[in-house]
Amino acid sequence: MNLPNPEILLETLSKRIKSIIQENTAIVGIHSGGAWLVERLLPTIGGDVAHGILDVSFYRDDFNERGLHSETKPSHIPFDVQDKHIVLIDDVFYTGRTIRAAMNELFDYGRPASITLAVLVNRGGRELPITPQISAFDTELTDSQNLQLLRHENGTFYFSLEENT
Amino acid sequence: MQNPQLNNDGKLKHLLSIEGLPKKILNQILDAAESFLGVAEREVKKVPLLRGKTVCNLFFENSTRTRTTFEIAAKRLSADVITLNVSTSSQSKGETILDTIDNLTAMHADMFVVRHSQSGAAHMIAKHVAPHISVINAGDGRHAHPTQGLLDVFTIRKYKPEMHNLRVAIVGDVLHSRVARSEIHALTTLGVPEVRVIAPKTLLPEDVEKLGVHVYHDITEGLKDVDVVMMLRLQNERMAGAMLPSSQEYFKTYGLTAEKLTLAKPDAIVMHPGPMNRGVEIDSAVADGPQSVILPQVTYGIAVRMAVMSILAGN
Amino acid sequence: MKIHIKNGHLIDPKNGVDAKQDLFIAAGKIIAIGKAPEGFIANQTIDATDLVIIPGLVDVSARLREPGFEHKATLESEMQAAAAGGVTSLACPPDTEPVLDEPGLVEMLKHRAKQLNQAHVYPLGALTHQLAGKEITEMCELSEAGCVGFSQADVAIKDTQVLWRAMQYAATFDFTVWLRPEEPYLAKDGVAHDGEVAARLGLKGIPAAAETLAIASILRIAKETGAKVHLCRLSTAEGVEMIRTAKKAGQQVTCDVSANHLHLTDVDIGYFDANTHLKPPARSQRDKTALSNGLADNTIDAICSDHTPVDDDAKLYPFAEAEAGATGLELLLPLTLKWAQDNKIRLNDAIKHITQAPANILGIAAGELSLNSNADICVFDPKEYWKIEPKALLSQGKNTPFLGLELPGKVKYTLVNGHIVHG
């Protein structure tokens, strides 16, 4: 199937996020794809918007099956979550479990005023009552397909779509 | 002989000693600990990783500090914590160790943190626990104190990230120190090129150089150009056992003073596993001075123990 | 009972026999070797095809745990273990409870053993009362009661004056003094060889010097007092060399090594395997090699089992707190055979160390298959390997560092006084 160019999707995402930024907004990227996106979004949105990164390894629901992820990175939330409007950013939305973990982690930092979920691609297949409010591209993939956002050495994004046998 | 610390997939099943652990696993623990540091900065200092799990502190040898840090670490992982202070003098030892373990297993303990005055105690317990239970050695006799060794190298890594370029000196009673042994194994496994031990002959084990260390008896020689000075605690029993004449002479010959510290690199850091004997192995001026990282060591200790427990619980 | 053992390969170091020979037994004695006597009709024939026949083993150190330690083992179980191991004569150390320092106790032990009609038991009497190293025992009375020597078991005498006088007194009557050479202050609380392994494992070490210092003292005192001394359980290379020198100089000294120390080094402690907690500790590879060479040139006279059964729980402790010792009566032959194989020692020479040589040390008529000697015989299959596991051992002590290993040498028949006690 033909996936659109993520660089173009990024432009779309950027416009839509910029339109909802208010005074008390912070953008938080979920490591690692969401963090990359935040990095690229900041210049267009305005570098002085509060921002941070979440690594949800400690909040995943598959810890007992898969153990601690081998590459955990520290979360970095350098602002007060209390009463903020959080724009939570991730690259690919699938089952919704990562978002559930991210929200649990965010709430351990404080009580946000609201959370808006913005993703580059919503690939369908959610398993929880969670859905993005903003998505630059919607599609339906099967369980055997694995969609990833990757980054070239020069920083430009591209998609990888693999079929698992 | 299969390494009792690793399961069939080569993953960590027990943490009994640093010796025998591959570099990859040490790094995994240290990297995870980085992430746990941040948790302590938040208002809600907990993560749900060990929710529903029971961690049991089995301390056959007393220690408030170590026990407390393990308790904090377990609670920050949302685990339930049971602490048992079992004094060795009252009971008939061994039978009680294994009976105690069986009872606690029946109470659904998932993880044991064990401290004992005899070398090999943690290994013995690990051999006898049910397959789903992990054992963390919180210190066994003179043999090992792996979480201390780990938090010490974590500290070093924080201040001196170029580990492959370092000179590290361990000063004091290496003979009786499980901390020293764990530190030596951690440093050599992680590739620190020069590890020195500085002590009088009476406080060094036979064949200690075979552990991969350079031996110094003269502290002024041993401290030259080192990047890290790791002090060891001196216990009073050493005077009674004819290993040392007095703590005064020890302080004079092997105590770390500001003056002796100048022999090391100007940006060298000073460490101590605690509790300190001020005026015996270390001068207060140094312990409280700008080069001392003794207080941060404690914070790092909690993060490292959280990392160890998480990795074990998930494997 | 007339017994004919046929088609077996006879090895008798004392008489220099190493050939296929039949054995004929009657009234508890060997009455013929090779050809049947006139009119001999066997009540029982043992077919020893492909088997080796040797004198019943003589073990200079086996703890039977009676009196006093019946929870660890009993005379019944350990004598059965001896029979299963092909051991027909054994000496037991005096560290029982109560200590064997009274003739009455010795008589009782000998009586009990005799009633079981299995191996001959030769008790070693205590050299000092309660082994406390202060007052010497009534050695003459004890000797009359059946003691073949006087020992301190594992308890060193700290007062040199007492040691001197004890040896001097023993020398008066030509009694042999059995001592395990270990300087008590250097060895105090030590549990492993003082070296790299002990350093890594954080175990308190016993330096080799603890043994060599003690050997030096004991040999010197023996020389001055004229005492006959038997040094027990050598473990150091230097120790072997010191005895080699002493023997060359004509001093009357004998010594033994435990079968365990021919196979183990400190590395075998592994991850704190309490079954390797032994007294003396297993030392370095260099020491092990020297012990082997010491046997080969007869500096070391005998291999013993140092049989020390402990109850199951006693090893379930951290290494230093676990009870020291290994069960060994049933492993003496297999370990000796394996040692011979590994070091390319002729079977004949190896067997000497567990038959003729220990019999000489004890001063007993045993360890030989001479005409009219006691029919104390061991028949075994040198090619049969068997697995060392608790259920394969008759001893109540299942504590051995060789658990799980397969060793060569299965005893098929053991005879004492012409009676089949095993097989």
Side-chain angles (χ1 to χ4, degrees), chain A residues 60-79:
Chain A
R60 295 174 64 98
D61 63 6
D62 59 358
F63 174 69
N64 283 328
E65 288 83 33
R66 305 190 30 185
L68 193 65
H69 192 237
S70 55
E71 271 178 42
T72 55
K73 287 233 166 352
S75 292
H76 184 59
I77 306 289
F79 55 85

Side-chain angles (χ1 to χ4, degrees), chain C residues 270-322:
Chain C
Y271 296 109
F272 300 97
D273 181 2
N275 279 325
T276 62
H277 184 173
L278 303 171
K279 281 187 181 155
R283 297 190 184 272
S284 68
Q285 180 62 44
R286 187 179 147 263
D287 294 305
K288 184 176 135 199
T289 305
L291 291 172
S292 182
N293 292 338
L295 273 172
D297 75 357
N298 295 310
T299 299
I300 304 180
D301 304 88
I303 304 172
C304 69
S305 69
D306 205 18
H307 182 70
T308 304
V310 304
D311 68 65
D312 294 330
D313 288 346
K315 288 288 189 184
L316 291 180
Y317 288 73
F319 191 89
E321 290 179 337

Side-chain angles (χ1 to χ4, degrees), chain B residues 214 218 221 254:
Chain B
H214 300 264
D218 182 346
E221 282 300 314
Y254 295 95

Side-chain angles (χ1 to χ4, degrees), chain A residues 3-15 36-37 39-41 44 120-121 136-137 149-159:
Chain A
L3 286 168
N5 186 340
E7 288 291 331
I8 298 180
L9 294 180
L10 183 57
E11 274 177 52
T12 312
L13 192 65
S14 171
K15 283 198 193 94
W36 292 341
L37 292 173
E39 219 181 285
R40 293 286 301 276
L41 286 168
T44 44
L120 207 58
V121 177
F137 180 66
L149 179 73
L150 298 170
R151 201 160 66 161
H152 288 296
E153 252 186 53
N154 62 5
T156 46
F157 294 125
Y158 66 101
F159 283 125

Side-chain angles (χ1 to χ4, degrees), chain A residues 107-129:
Chain A
F107 272 85
D108 276 347
Y109 281 89
R111 185 187 181 280
S114 73
I115 299 180
T116 305
L117 174 61
V119 300
L120 207 58
V121 177
N122 179 351
R123 59 160 281 180
R126 71 173 180 202
E127 290 171 2
L128 299 174

